[in-house]
């Protein structure tokens, strides 16, 4: 069931056969759905202006334009979720649609049409999360505006107080100390905001960018192999599809919360165990993991950073090291946690790549932001050894 009431879905599609297949899939679905069809952009706009739907599913190519034109200029103001579908698996079109605010991008197939109720249900669940986040952001913005007004009022009061107490040196000194304290607090707040922005940057690089880059490399290899070795090219093609799917999943994960769900559910040890057990294919190295810790949970920012460092290190080992195995260990020592990732692959010269390798910079920057340190030791032909030590931040 979509929800307790009938869900109104607007299907923007000019192909009658596709409309019939999608309608049949919803008719066979147990959920309460009211499906309305529009064949053009103009008709879709007219219908949504009269009565906004709970969900729009639109074809990418329509008689009077592209379905992405139905996406609002400001995706933060979208009144309802939109799923874009097309007959062609255009990677760039998918990226553009997701950037413009589409919740999903699907390629038209019979299987996709049959799964359309589940695709729609998933999009509407995501939309509920987005609406809740919007409400939280609006509340935060209001609180920020209230704080600014209070700061302005307080500043005016302090200015008046300074004028009234000009001849009282001791009182003026106390007032100045209060102002300095406020400035220090503001500076700390700005530093925290800058730290959060940097962490988000590394979130995107360590996951989504790596996966999409790997997928692009697989499809390039497929193009080269297709005319000479069909079987090998299909393996590469399917590997690229898997990576692309992982990239889309990562994009949705970043949008929905910027934290791997398994971290919230089970903690850092279980999250790393899940990560090291997830072999991409038979060519991936064998990964060993051992943990010797006393804590159950840590602060979310520390858990997330530990997870991302392991993820980035394993991605590098899988793609570049050519090692048969990788060893990951996490050990607690008093009030610190020590994370080590080691492979026995081809290695590299850290001095020659550190200015150009965003992943290595990301590992170092995560450690620095959390008052820790990261050491990356590697020699050509002798593998790579990454050591990260961070102070423990246990939950309050």
């Amino acid at each position: 069931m979509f929800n307790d009431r009938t869900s109104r879905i607007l299907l923007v599609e000019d192909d009658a056969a596709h409309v019939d297949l999608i309608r049949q899939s919803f008719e066979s679905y147990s959920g309460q759905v009211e499906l309305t069809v529009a064949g053009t952009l103009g008709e879709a706009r007219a219908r949504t202006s009269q009565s906004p739907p709970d969900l729009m599913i639109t074809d990418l190519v329509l008689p009077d334009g592209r379905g992405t034109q139905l996406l609002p200029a400001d995706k933060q103001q979208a009144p309802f979720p939109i799923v874009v579908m097309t007959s062609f698996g255009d990677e760039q079109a998918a990226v553009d649609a997701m950037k413009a605010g589409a919740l999903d991008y699907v390629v038209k197939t019979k299987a996709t049409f049959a799964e359309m109720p589940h695709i729609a249900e998933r999009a509407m669940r995501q939309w509920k999360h987005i609406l809740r986040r919007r409400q939280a952001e609006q509340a935060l913005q209001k609180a920020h505006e209230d704080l600014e007004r209070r700061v302005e009022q307080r500043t005016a009061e302090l200015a008046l107080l300074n004028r009234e107490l000009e001849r009282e040196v001791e009182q003026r000194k106390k007032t100045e100390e209060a102002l300095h304290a406020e400035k220090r607090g503001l500076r700390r707040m700005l530093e925290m905001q800058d730290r959060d922005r940097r962490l988000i940057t590394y979130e995107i690089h360590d996951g989504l960018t790596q996966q999409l880059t790997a997928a692009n490399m697989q499809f390039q290899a497929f193009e080269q192999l297709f005319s000479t070795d069909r079987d090998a090219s299909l393996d590469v093609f399917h590997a690229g599809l898997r990576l692309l799917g992982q990239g889309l999943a990562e994009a949705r994960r970043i949008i929905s919360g910027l934290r791997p769900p398994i971290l919230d559910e089970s903690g850092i040890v279980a999250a790393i165990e899940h990560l090291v057990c997830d072999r991409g294919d038979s060519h991936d190295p064998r990964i060993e993991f051992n943990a010797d810790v006393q804590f159950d949970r840590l602060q979310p920012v520390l858990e997330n950073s530990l997870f991302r460092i392991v993820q980035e290190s394993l991605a590098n080992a899988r793609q570049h090291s050519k090692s048969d195995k990788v060893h990951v260990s996490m050990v607690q020592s008093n009030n610190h946690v020590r994370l080590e990732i080691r492979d026995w692959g081809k290695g590299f010269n850290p001095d020659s790549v550190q200015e150009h390798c965003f992943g290595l910079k990301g590992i170092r920057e995560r450690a620095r932001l959390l008052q820790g340190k990261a050491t990356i030791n590697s020699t050509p032909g002798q593998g790579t050894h990454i050591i990260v030590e961070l102070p423990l931040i246990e939950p309050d």
Side-chain angles (χ1 to χ4, degrees):
M1 300 290 287
F2 283 85
N3 48 46
D4 295 335
R5 62 176 179 81
T6 299
S7 297
R8 294 177 295 107
I9 298 178
L10 175 61
L11 174 62
V12 187
E13 171 62 78
D14 62 319
D15 189 315
H18 291 173
V19 170
D20 287 340
L21 288 173
I22 293 174
R23 191 186 297 278
Q24 290 172 16
S25 69
F26 278 107
E27 288 175 352
S28 63
Y29 187 68
S30 59
Q32 298 177 343
V33 176
E34 176 186 329
L35 186 67
T36 306
V37 179
T40 64
L41 290 177
E43 185 179 357
R45 290 188 175 112
R47 289 184 179 277
T48 56
S49 64
Q50 294 172 0
S51 178
D54 297 313
L55 171 68
M56 177 188 291
I57 304 172
T58 179
D59 193 5
L60 180 61
V61 180
L62 295 167
D64 54 343
R66 294 174 70 83
T68 50
Q69 293 175 250
L70 294 168
L71 294 165
D74 183 0
K75 60 184 181 182
Q76 297 298 325
Q77 302 300 322
F80 47 80
I82 298 179
V83 174
V84 176
M85 59 181 182
T86 181
S87 299
F88 305 96
D90 186 336
E91 179 182 345
Q92 186 58 48
V95 172
D96 292 342
M98 298 296 285
K99 285 183 176 179
L103 277 192
D104 207 347
Y105 181 94
V106 297
V107 178
K108 292 180 180 179
T109 64
K110 288 185 178 180
T112 301
F113 291 147
E115 288 294 315
M116 195 58 71
H118 300 289
I119 293 172
E121 187 173 11
R122 184 177 64 228
M124 293 177 69
R125 283 199 303 268
Q126 288 181 254
W127 185 247
K128 288 182 180 179
H129 292 309
I130 290 173
L131 290 180
R132 283 197 291 267
R133 188 171 69 249
R134 280 187 187 175
Q135 292 172 354
E137 290 172 349
Q138 290 170 356
L140 182 60
Q141 179 63 27
K142 184 178 183 302
H144 179 69
E145 292 171 354
D146 291 341
L147 177 60
E148 287 185 336
R149 284 194 294 270
R150 289 197 298 270
V151 169
E152 291 173 356
Q153 293 170 359
R154 180 57 178 163
T155 301
E157 293 170 0
L158 289 175
L160 177 61
L161 182 61
N162 281 332
R163 289 193 297 268
E164 293 173 349
L165 302 177
E166 285 180 341
R167 291 172 297 180
E168 299 181 18
V169 176
E170 190 61 32
Q171 184 63 40
R172 184 169 62 242
K173 180 179 177 181
K174 292 180 181 179
T175 301
E176 289 174 351
E177 290 175 350
L179 288 173
H180 286 313
E182 289 183 5
K183 290 179 180 178
R184 287 194 298 271
L186 177 60
R187 184 167 58 251
R188 286 195 297 270
M189 183 176 66
L190 293 174
E191 290 171 350
M192 291 180 64
Q193 290 177 346
D194 183 67
R195 182 198 66 180
D196 290 342
R197 292 190 187 99
R198 292 189 182 203
L199 288 177
I200 291 172
T201 298
Y202 293 122
E203 287 283 343
I204 294 173
H205 171 265
D206 292 351
L208 180 60
T209 302
Q210 295 285 341
Q211 290 161 342
L212 293 182
T213 299
N216 184 54
M217 293 171 62
Q218 293 287 348
F219 288 128
Q220 288 176 350
F222 164 77
E223 184 178 22
Q224 295 172 357
L225 288 171
F226 183 75
S227 60
T228 59
D229 190 341
R230 291 291 183 89
D231 292 337
S233 69
L234 285 177
D235 291 339
V236 172
F237 180 78
H238 291 146
L241 286 179
R242 286 196 300 273
L243 287 166
L244 186 58
Q246 293 169 9
L248 291 174
E250 179 71 2
R252 296 189 188 102
R253 188 201 65 74
I254 292 173
I255 293 170
S256 65
L258 289 171
R259 273 179 62 80
I262 193 169
L263 282 177
D264 293 324
E265 296 168 0
S266 306
I268 183 61
V269 175
I272 294 178
E273 288 175 343
H274 176 79
L275 183 63
V276 301
C277 290
D278 184 17
R279 288 170 62 94
D281 55 50
S282 60
H283 301 294
D284 278 352
R286 177 169 50 88
I287 303 174
E288 301 171 346
F289 172 59
N290 69 279
D292 182 10
V293 298
Q294 290 77 52
F295 56 78
D296 292 322
R297 299 301 301 266
L298 301 173
Q299 281 283 6
V301 66
L302 180 54
E303 287 188 338
N304 193 66
S305 293
L306 289 167
F307 183 90
R308 291 306 179 201
I309 289 170
V310 175
Q311 186 181 54
E312 174 66 29
S313 301
L314 292 181
N316 287 339
R318 283 168 171 152
Q319 294 174 25
H320 307 298
S321 74
K322 306 301 182 184
S323 177
D324 293 329
K325 70 174 182 177
V326 179
H327 183 76
V328 180
S329 69
M330 184 168 62
V331 178
Q332 179 180 350
S333 176
N334 297 325
N335 60 344
H336 282 74
V337 59
R338 180 183 176 95
L339 183 64
E340 295 189 44
I341 305 96
R342 184 172 185 177
D343 67 64
W344 289 262
K346 62 182 185 180
F348 60 92
N349 183 350
D351 294 332
S352 65
V353 301
Q354 65 180 14
E355 293 301 321
H356 310 287
C357 182
F358 200 90
L360 297 182
K361 287 175 130 181
I363 292 173
R364 292 189 177 98
E365 185 66 7
R366 288 179 188 278
R368 187 189 69 81
L369 289 173
L370 293 171
Q371 308 302 312
K373 64 178 181 179
T375 305
I376 300 173
N377 298 318
S378 186
T379 302
Q382 299 184 25
T384 301
H385 190 190
I386 297 174
I387 304 170
V388 177
E389 291 184 286
L390 300 174
L392 285 179
I393 309 174
E394 298 189 3
D396 296 331

